[in-house]
Amino acid sequence: MEQQRKEATERLLSTQGHDNLFYSEENDGVGVGDGGLVAVSNFTSILGLSIFMAACITFGFGCAIGYSSPTQSSIMEDLGLSVAEFSLFGSILSIGSLIGAAISGKITDLFGRKLTMWILNLFYIGGWLAIAFTKAPWLLNLGRISLGFTNGISGYLAPIYIAEITTKNVRGRFTTILQLMVGWGASFMYVVGSFVHWRTLALLATIPGLLQVLLIFFIPESPRWLAKVGREKELEAALLCLRGDKADISDEAIEIKNHVESLKSSSRGGIVDIFQKKYVRPLLTVVGMMVLTNLGGINAFAYYSGAIFVSAGISSMVGLITLAATQTVVGILGTTIIDKLGRRPLLLVSSAGLCFSSFLTGVSFFLKDFNWWDQGSPILAFIGLLMYMGSYALGGGLPWLLVSELFPINVKGSAGSICNFMGNSTGWVVGYYFNLLTEGSSAGIFFTFSAFCCANFILIATMVPETKGRTLEEIQASITPSSD
């Protein structure tokens, strides 16, 4: 059938005299060729602007994550904080994320994707201003928890929004860009934070929020959310806006409407829907990946990488700048290959890299504790940290893509809230206790991280389905058939 479709399309194009047009399987339609180059005709300026808007959200997410790493010593000195007090400041981001995660699905379902973005901006900009002008630790922590609340919701909202507005042939690529932007946000903090005062750095971090204030007027609401709430005329207008005024959106609109209607007929209503038998496997799979990723130490590496470099005998500035470059290169690589190789290969390579790099970092601290190979142990730590953050940049954000792909619109909010809450719960534990545990055994904590990353690799290898090249409706129909 697919071959017949290809041949028929090519015959039609040849009869119309369009020598530079051809059938493109990658784009699922007609491409424009000249020397092997393909232009995707359904990528519009509004779609690009919408993706950029989501990228600003996740860039801010990364800024919040990376802020504590280059500023630890200066904040502790200026405000007179102890190690325990700064650990509270670093980890309280996860407390705010827990609050945001608990309501992330509900608030985005209730208010829609765009209005939720407005709400997040208030907390985001307000949080950074509180940190920038604080004179007391309590206001510092209040600003941090406000940023955490923003992260708890945006970690769910941004990939969901991208997945719901893009087509199947580019969905993975553009959703993975969000993870790249998280890395860039953290890298921005690492690099700039090495040269500017921590209060100035907090003011600079408000820039993504200010950009969002300007851009949000020009982007459309998610067509799938509009279908869910019964605003069908607005759904078609949003699709035309995203696909172009001359695009034929009738088939896509009908598919979305029919899928939403079928879900309504089988839905019991409320959060109980997610606990139906047909959703158990995907829910346990994604929750498991998020929990094991966080127990694998990502918050420890992200929050305190500067301190880890110093404790390993490496210059914090050199380490953080190199780390930023590594995340950028690997993140770009991930965005270019995800829609070609698929989700599973990237997840497997990423989790294997996290496992090995955690173990390597543990070995370096083990050698350092016993004063063995004094010249080589810092090099091992340096390689381990770069490999860890590079591996995370490659596939660490893909569980959120799977949330947007595996769960239909009627349970996506509930599934997102549960996954978000469980992931942030374990993330807080790691972020808060890491500094305290390393005072006892640095090597032991990194070996523990490695074990959790190994468990995550096994989970991915045995449970995660491949979702590339299919529409959201096709994926959800195959993963969660209508019958229980």
Side-chain angles (χ1 to χ4, degrees):
M1 179 66 71
E2 186 64 29
Q3 181 64 27
Q4 292 175 350
R5 179 186 175 193
K6 175 179 178 179
E7 292 174 354
T9 305
E10 290 177 337
R11 285 197 301 270
L12 175 61
L13 294 173
S14 63
T15 59
Q16 298 299 317
H18 299 298
D19 295 332
N20 65 327
L21 297 182
F22 61 91
Y23 182 85
S24 169
E25 291 183 4
E26 180 181 356
N27 297 326
D28 193 33
V30 177
V32 182
D34 183 10
L37 298 178
V38 177
V40 181
S41 60
N42 59 1
F43 186 85
T44 63
S45 58
I46 295 299
L47 178 59
L49 190 65
S50 302
I51 293 169
F52 181 75
M53 174 72 178
C56 286
I57 295 174
T58 51
F59 186 89
F61 186 113
C63 288
I65 290 175
Y67 179 75
S68 60
S69 188
T71 59
Q72 179 170 350
S73 59
S74 56
I75 290 178
M76 290 176 65
E77 181 180 348
D78 289 353
L79 298 181
L81 302 183
S82 65
V83 172
E85 287 173 326
F86 189 83
S87 292
L88 175 63
F89 169 71
S91 64
I92 206 170
L93 186 77
S94 294
I95 296 293
S97 295
L98 284 174
I99 300 171
I103 64 171
S104 58
K106 187 66 174 178
I107 194 172
T108 51
D109 280 351
L110 181 63
F111 296 122
R113 285 39 170 161
K114 281 187 63 174
L115 183 55
T116 304
M117 292 178 189
W118 273 109
I119 297 171
L120 292 189
N121 251 333
L122 298 177
F123 285 93
Y124 180 81
I125 296 174
W128 282 119
L129 292 178
I131 291 174
F133 296 106
T134 185
K135 298 293 183 181
W138 70 266
L139 187 57
L140 185 77
N141 290 334
L142 182 62
R144 184 78 166 169
I145 203 170
S146 179
L147 294 175
F149 177 78
T150 302
N151 280 10
I153 296 178
S154 63
Y156 165 79
L157 171 62
I160 293 296
Y161 180 69
I162 291 295
E164 291 179 349
I165 65 173
T166 52
T167 55
K168 64 182 181 181
N169 56 298
V170 295
R171 184 177 63 244
R173 186 178 311 163
F174 288 127
T175 306
T176 309
I177 284 177
L178 300 181
Q179 180 59 36
L180 177 62
M181 296 306 296
V182 173
W184 280 358
S187 298
F188 177 80
M189 295 286 105
Y190 295 158
V191 175
V192 179
S194 300
F195 300 99
V196 304
H197 192 268
W198 60 271
R199 294 184 188 274
T200 304
L201 187 63
L203 291 175
L204 290 174
T206 63
I207 293 175
L210 297 175
L211 283 174
Q212 293 171 54
V213 171
L214 299 175
L215 297 178
I216 202 167
F217 292 102
F218 304 101
I219 65 171
E221 181 56 86
S222 160
R224 288 173 171 84
W225 181 80
L226 291 170
K228 180 186 177 184
V229 296
R231 291 155 60 175
E232 295 187 359
K233 291 185 178 180
E234 293 178 58
L235 177 156
E236 294 177 359
L239 281 177
L240 280 174
C241 188
L242 291 166
R243 307 290 181 254
D245 292 338
K246 297 181 179 180
D248 182 3
I249 51 92
S250 56
D251 288 344
E252 186 177 5
I254 291 172
E255 183 180 19
I256 293 173
K257 292 175 187 177
N258 290 343
H259 186 66
V260 170
E261 286 301 319
S262 68
L263 292 173
K264 288 180 179 179
S265 64
S266 62
S267 174
R268 301 187 182 97
I271 196 171
V272 296
D273 282 345
I274 193 59
F275 298 109
Q276 296 177 57
K277 182 180 178 181
K278 58 188 175 182
Y279 301 126
V280 171
R281 182 184 174 93
L283 182 63
L284 291 178
T285 300
V286 180
V287 167
M289 282 192 295
M290 290 190 174
V291 168
L292 291 172
T293 297
N294 280 284
L295 290 177
I298 180 56
N299 281 0
F301 281 89
Y303 293 172
Y304 310 116
S305 53
I308 297 172
F309 279 125
V310 171
S311 64
I314 302 167
S315 166
S316 175
M317 181 180 298
V318 172
L320 291 175
I321 291 175
T322 309
L323 188 62
T326 301
Q327 287 181 303
T328 297
V329 172
V330 177
I332 292 174
L333 174 64
T335 62
T336 58
I337 63 177
I338 183 172
D339 282 317
K340 296 179 181 178
L341 297 183
R343 285 55 162 157
R344 274 176 54 85
L346 260 65
L347 281 167
L348 289 170
V349 172
S350 174
S351 58
L354 293 172
C355 178
F356 178 75
S357 56
S358 296
F359 184 82
L360 191 64
T361 307
V363 169
S364 72
F365 279 95
F366 180 81
L367 295 174
K368 183 175 181 291
D369 290 341
F370 288 93
N371 295 316
W372 294 341
W373 201 29
D374 292 338
Q375 294 181 338
S377 58
I379 297 175
L380 290 181
F382 186 69
I383 294 173
L385 263 69
L386 294 184
M387 183 180 294
Y388 186 97
M389 297 305 289
S391 297
Y392 188 80
L394 183 66
L398 290 183
W400 277 117
L401 173 58
L402 292 179
V403 171
S404 67
E405 291 181 331
L406 297 181
F407 298 102
I409 193 74
N410 64 318
V411 298
K412 192 174 291 185
S414 300
S417 292
I418 293 171
C419 295
N420 210 350
F421 185 83
M422 293 300 296
N424 280 289
S425 297
T426 49
W428 175 81
V429 171
V430 171
Y432 181 74
Y433 286 105
F434 174 74
N435 276 337
L436 304 177
L437 291 173
T438 52
E439 293 179 357
S441 173
S442 297
I445 190 64
F446 287 112
F447 288 144
T448 303
F449 289 160
S450 180
F452 282 117
C453 293
C454 181
N456 198 23
F457 178 88
I458 296 172
L459 174 67
I460 293 166
T462 56
M463 297 285 285
V464 174
E466 184 53 72
T467 58
K468 72 167 183 174
R470 293 185 286 173
T471 67
L472 296 181
E473 288 71 29
E474 289 170 345
I475 295 168
Q476 291 150 17
S478 65
I479 299 297
T480 55
S482 58
S483 58
D484 285 343

